[in-house]
Amino acid sequence: MSRACREIERNILRLLHGRETRTQLREIHAHFLRHGLNQLNQILSHFVSICGSLNKMAYANRIFKQTQNPTIILFNAMIKGYSLNGPFEESFRLFSSMKNRGIWPDEYTLAPLLKACSSLGVLQLGKCIHKEVLVVGFEGFSAIRIGFIEFYSTCGAMEDAEKVFGEMYQRDVIVWNLMIRGFCKRGDVDMGLCLFRQMRKRSVVSWNIMISCLAQTRRNSEALGLFHEMLDWGFKPDEATVVTVLPICARLGAVDVGQWIHSYAKSSGIYRDFVAVGNALVDFYNKSGMFETARRVFEEMPRKNVISWNTLISGLAFNGNGELGVELLEEMLNEGLSPNDATLVGVLSCCAHAGLFERGRELFASMVEHHQIEPKLEHYGCMVDLLGRSGCVREAYDLIRSMPAGTPNAALWGSLLSACRSHGDVELAHHAVKELIDLEPWNSGNYVLLSNMYAEGERWDHVANVRGMMREKNVKKTPGQSVIG
């Protein structure tokens, strides 16, 4: 290659890896086409890698297909790109093509394939790649071992993960984190915590994983205690820590800790840089009953997304400010943001709690036409609640009946039943209980409820029938319940 070509190649690589220029793929592509470098694997592999980092694998694939003699570095770049972005199966198709060309894999081929296996979650496929690794003798490479542990822990095969882990002489933080996450995902949080305590060196991610896993298993006090321990060790919470710990504070009523996190988030800059932090703060203050503070945080947020609006609107429904929640929908639309499913669930809940019967009915009726959102179970649930609170139990019943077959669940019929009993509609209440029995034939409470309703109407023959149904279906009465008869 001439000196001029080498200089052009260096210039193209600078463009590909430059912060300002790396996104200008078409211009860079045209540049190396113009200079006849479109078959140079070195340049193409860098180009494909950048496509992968920008999730533009369709473009990378077009380039690859035009390459006459791809080498291992180009195959590796393509395999890695698909392993990160999908379709993950494409990584294996390329691997097969590579072998058919007589190209022998290296560690940079196999580590991304293990990543693709993790994403697909197919245990047998990963074990086949494990055999490939053993055949070529690459099992000692760090990236390969990490790939094994990530794959096996993702698939829940912790015995296999432990075997690889036990054979490692040097275990970095990433490996420990994967093992901890794997055990916790399988439900063995105590084992995860045991491994966490054995770590000589931890990262913020290590603390975040363990705090999150404790919180997910309702061990909120332990999770908050671990957060305090994290601070005592001198670790600085990141945005993931904040988003994880704020709901814990809300559940435990630890308002002072939540307020400290708010102050820290502002002073550290993560409140400004991550919209998820602002959303978590709004949610925390809503759930702590501090709506005015939640509204102020929302107003002060430097950036908002649909989740920001949804969080505030949902909080308004349960803080007795439903009318304001409906107004926020209009404000949101005026700012050019489109609501999603969760937005409309929140607004319909606001209508139900604020008694805005007509507004809720109009919104539900216009969901498809105005917002292109098909009503889902949650939206029907809000409407049944709204209609039930307004005394329109017959309309609520008709709405449930209009739903696609098999869609209404026990919660929906339970909501209707509650409204029927509140408004004295015994006939519809009977229908609702019968539907509940069909959906939950094992739930003795439904039979007891129906039996007691018949007894209140002195329909003793029906009471006897219900008791017979329970015996026939071998349903046992829960202690404390009373079947009159």
Side-chain angles (χ1 to χ4, degrees), residues 271-302:
Y271 171 73
R272 179 191 64 241
D273 297 337
F274 297 96
V275 68
V277 171
N279 294 344
L281 283 165
V282 172
D283 184 57
F284 162 71
Y285 283 117
N286 265 335
K287 288 176 177 173
S288 300
M290 302 169 69
F291 166 69
E292 291 302 327
T293 310
R295 181 66 192 262
R296 188 167 64 250
V297 171
F298 175 82
E299 297 292 350
E300 291 173 354
M301 285 174 68

Side-chain angles (χ1 to χ4, degrees), residues 168-279:
M168 295 180 74
Y169 296 111
Q170 291 184 320
R171 302 163 182 159
D172 63 13
V173 175
I174 295 171
V175 169
W176 284 93
N177 290 348
L178 288 169
M179 290 295 291
I180 291 166
R181 184 183 278 122
F183 277 112
C184 291
K185 182 183 175 184
R186 197 173 70 171
D188 195 348
V189 178
D190 287 327
M191 184 61 188
L193 189 57
C194 179
L195 283 174
F196 177 81
R197 293 298 182 197
Q198 292 176 38
M199 293 177 75
R200 293 180 181 176
K201 184 180 179 183
R202 301 184 185 116
S203 65
V204 172
V205 175
S206 313
W207 292 93
N208 290 349
I209 291 169
M210 204 62 248
I211 291 168
S212 174
C213 290
L214 287 167
Q216 286 167 19
T217 51
R218 301 183 182 276
R219 294 164 67 168
N220 292 301
S221 296
E222 287 178 78
L224 192 59
L226 201 61
F227 172 65
H228 287 300
E229 190 179 329
M230 173 186 175
L231 298 178
D232 292 341
W233 277 90
F235 285 88
K236 292 186 177 180
D238 62 7
E239 72 282 0
T241 320
V242 169
V243 169
T244 301
V245 176
L246 280 171
I248 297 169
C249 294
R251 287 193 289 271
L252 293 175
V255 176
D256 54 338
V257 180
Q259 289 174 324
W260 180 88
I261 291 173
H262 185 178
S263 175
Y264 168 80
K266 293 184 79 170
S267 63
S268 65
I270 59 175
Y271 171 73
R272 179 191 64 241
D273 297 337
F274 297 96
V275 68
V277 171
N279 294 344

Side-chain angles (χ1 to χ4, degrees), residues 47-83:
F47 188 86
V48 164
S49 293
I50 298 302
C51 286
S53 69
L54 298 172
N55 196 11
K56 294 186 180 294
M57 288 308 295
Y59 194 3
N61 194 42
R62 288 203 300 273
I63 300 292
F64 179 79
K65 284 181 175 178
Q66 293 165 10
T67 309
Q68 295 166 10
N69 295 299
T71 62
I72 189 167
I73 60 169
L74 185 53
F75 270 106
N76 286 350
M78 287 294 293
I79 289 170
K80 183 178 181 182
Y82 280 121
S83 78

